Amino acid sequence: MGILEKIAEIEREIARTQKNKATEYHLGLLKAKLAKYRAQLLEPSKSAGAKGEGFDVMKSGDARVALIGFPSVGKSTFLSLMTSTASEAASYEFTTLTCIPGVIEYKGANIQLLDLPGIIEGAAQGKGRGRQVIAVARTADVVIMMLDATKGEVQRELLEKELESVGIRLNRTKPNIYFKPKKGGGLSYNSTVPLTHCSEKLVQLILHEYKIFNAEVLFREDSTPDEFIDVIVGNRVYMPCLYVYNKVDQISIEEVDRLARRPNSAVISCGMKLNLDYLLETLWEYLALICIYTKKRGERPDFNDAIIMRRGASVEHVCHRIHRTLASQFKYALVWGTSTKYSPQRVGLTHIMEHEDVIQIVKK
């Protein structure tokens, strides 16, 4: 019995089993087995022959965005509109067969946009080069899920299921669970909140499935068995995802309004170039990038050349970005902008910068 058959068998068993108090341990064990087999599926086989062509694209720019979607939803048209790269677009499926990178220039930042081949159902098992597509998506900062507005919710559910099965968690934060395997001493289990989904027995059963008998577990939030399994496996990627509904010119205005009001969603039309500016603005928010301008003493700030940092960056991060030795020679900095109480404010290395702040660094 191959791994795929085992996975299918467990999925059928989970679907058959009623969810109640009596079956929660059984379901927890099944979910642990399922996660284990899926992890085996993602590992490259030992007996693999010549290596196939991957989609490894060198990271460039300040952030990376992956375009994921079914064939013929408008990914290549979107790339051609947003960047100066022309990706071949035609009215048949699988026009794009490899990864095509482009660069969006927005607010002084270079955002790398990757046009990936269309995903089909069963991509996580390797159908239609699905594994390579999903492997590239794991390295992105944000995933844009392109959906056909005329096809309804089917595409979104299928894509979420495919990404979920390879360990990509969309628009979710990492579970607040402390987990540390130990050499001996059995299982130490604690929780700081009342748990409704997990119990000590269930945690023990799941750990035994992974052959872990000595560990320290502390739940700091009411997590589900699935989230606990994610913590044990440890290779999950938590990333923001923007659901983009394309081809909205082909549906009614009420339907457009309903889709646009959904969380983490944007509606566009690549054919008629509708709402693309709003999409870029939303993407900027999701990437959490900020622009910081530098200033020399006695001169005006240089607003043409911004330093692009992540939200939450401190003065020390800015120093390292300018030059690696600057932080060691740092005396103080003067900052103008929204992060200060008054302008200019004299600050130290730990001061957190905000969007469009101006900084002047004084050396020892």
Side-chain angles (χ1 to χ4, degrees), residues 119 213 290 303:
I119 281 186
F213 302 99
I290 55 170
F303 287 121

Side-chain angles (χ1 to χ4, degrees), residues 142-147 153 156 160 169-172 239-245 258-267 278-279 282-283 285-286:
V142 169
V143 167
I144 288 185
M145 198 181 277
M146 277 293 231
L147 304 160
E153 296 304 304
R156 177 170 169 168
E160 279 177 345
R169 304 285 177 260
L170 302 175
N171 296 326
R172 296 215 315 244
M239 58 170 64
C241 172
L242 186 57
Y243 300 102
V244 177
Y245 292 92
R258 189 184 69 80
L259 292 174
R261 287 177 192 279
R262 298 201 59 171
N264 311 310
S265 299
V267 290
Y278 170 75
L279 176 58
T282 316
L283 186 60
E285 281 299 310
Y286 272 68

Side-chain angles (χ1 to χ4, degrees), residues 36 87 238 254:
K36 213 162 130 190
S87 179
Y238 298 86
E254 292 81 19

Side-chain angles (χ1 to χ4, degrees), residues 20 51 65 78 99 143 152 209 255 263 265 291 346:
N20 58 36
K51 210 171 166 201
V65 177
F78 178 73
C99 179
V143 167
E209 186 59 43
E255 184 68 5
S265 299
C291 300
R346 183 171 162 164

Side-chain angles (χ1 to χ4, degrees), residues 69-70 119 145 155-163:
F70 278 94
I119 281 186
M145 198 181 277
Q155 289 191 344
R156 177 170 169 168
E157 284 164 16
L158 284 170
L159 281 172
E160 279 177 345
K161 192 180 158 203
E162 291 298 329
L163 295 178

Side-chain angles (χ1 to χ4, degrees), residues 334-345:
L334 294 172
V335 175
W336 291 257
T338 53
S339 67
T340 58
K341 291 190 178 98
Y342 47 86
S343 293
Q345 185 178 331

Side-chain angles (χ1 to χ4, degrees), residues 151-265:
K151 297 267 169 56
E153 296 304 304
V154 188
Q155 289 191 344
R156 177 170 169 168
E157 284 164 16
L158 284 170
L159 281 172
E160 279 177 345
K161 192 180 158 203
E162 291 298 329
L163 295 178
E164 190 90 3
S165 65
V166 291
I168 295 176
R169 304 285 177 260
L170 302 175
N171 296 326
R172 296 215 315 244
T173 51
K174 202 171 177 188
N176 196 354
I177 301 171
Y178 172 76
F179 169 72
K180 188 181 179 190
K182 295 188 297 187
K183 290 278 189 291
L187 176 67
S188 157
Y189 169 86
N190 268 312
S191 64
T192 57
V193 290
L195 298 182
T196 57
H197 304 292
C198 284
S199 65
E200 187 168 358
K201 188 182 170 190
L202 181 57
V203 166
Q204 207 169 0
L205 281 170
I206 291 171
L207 287 172
H208 281 193
E209 186 59 43
Y210 282 93
K211 303 209 172 17
I212 298 170
F213 302 99
N214 305 297
E216 213 172 309
V217 179
L218 172 63
F219 282 81
R220 295 199 187 97
E221 63 179 19
D222 188 12
S223 301
T224 60
D226 291 327
E227 288 172 331
F228 179 57
I229 291 166
D230 286 350
V231 171
I232 300 170
V233 176
N235 63 354
R236 305 300 190 228
V237 182
Y238 298 86
M239 58 170 64
C241 172
L242 186 57
Y243 300 102
V244 177
Y245 292 92
N246 187 19
K247 307 183 185 177
V248 291
D249 50 309
Q250 298 174 16
I251 57 174
S252 67
I253 193 73
E254 292 81 19
E255 184 68 5
V256 172
D257 186 55
R258 189 184 69 80
L259 292 174
R261 287 177 192 279
R262 298 201 59 171
N264 311 310
S265 299

